[in-house]
Amino acid sequence: MEVGAFLWALGTVPLAMAGGGALALGPEPWALLPAGPVQIVVGASEPRVGGRIRLLRGPWFAWAEAPPLRLALGRAIAPAWLALVGGSSGMNVVWELQASPKLSLFGALGGEKACGIRVRGIKTWAAALIRRGGLTLWCGLYF
């Protein structure tokens, strides 16, 4: 899984749960466009176009993505979001912990392993991700 696709699929648990939109600038830019319970992703890495549909909202949340097909089931517990995501790359536990309203740690364990830090403004964000021994820097905005 390319790093842009990784961030879209596994590094945005709150965004998947909320169903919002985002623009990410970094090594492999992408845009997440909201349309009700559906989110459409357009990116620079393969696959270039994909979709996500929210299946369940609330403290328990679920979504399905394609391509490739991934299913996720998660739970929001106060300042933490945890999800179990299954797909062609195997099973992953995806998490995000809010240290404050502006700072969070996120990552994945399983078929994909990564850890990152995200700093958020009102409509903007910046992130550093450590994955496969490399560091990538990202920034973007929410809408």
Side-chain angles (χ1 to χ4, degrees):
M1 184 183 297
E2 299 298 325
V3 70
F6 171 85
L7 280 175
W8 167 60
L10 303 178
T12 59
V13 176
L15 193 59
M17 186 176 78
L23 175 65
L25 303 173
E28 297 163 14
W30 50 267
L32 189 59
L33 309 170
V38 175
Q39 292 172 307
I40 299 167
V41 67
V42 179
S45 62
E46 294 297 327
R48 297 208 188 285
V49 177
R52 172 187 294 149
I53 185 164
R54 201 173 44 239
L55 304 172
L56 187 61
R57 289 182 79 165
W60 285 95
F61 55 93
W63 70 86
E65 299 174 349
L69 181 61
R70 280 185 291 268
L71 297 173
L73 175 65
R75 171 93 170 137
I77 307 165
W81 293 276
L82 297 170
L84 182 61
V85 180
S88 60
S89 65
M91 296 297 284
N92 290 285
V93 174
V94 182
W95 53 273
E96 182 151 348
L97 301 172
Q98 278 193 337
S100 75
K102 298 197 179 285
L103 179 68
S104 62
L105 300 173
F106 66 96
L109 296 169
E112 290 284 341
K113 295 170 189 62
C115 185
I117 187 168
R118 184 176 296 125
V119 178
R120 286 182 301 280
I122 294 172
K123 291 283 187 181
T124 60
W125 59 272
L129 176 70
I130 298 172
R131 181 174 168 261
R132 296 185 181 165
L135 173 69
T136 55
L137 301 175
W138 294 81
C139 65
L141 59 97
Y142 300 116
F143 55 89

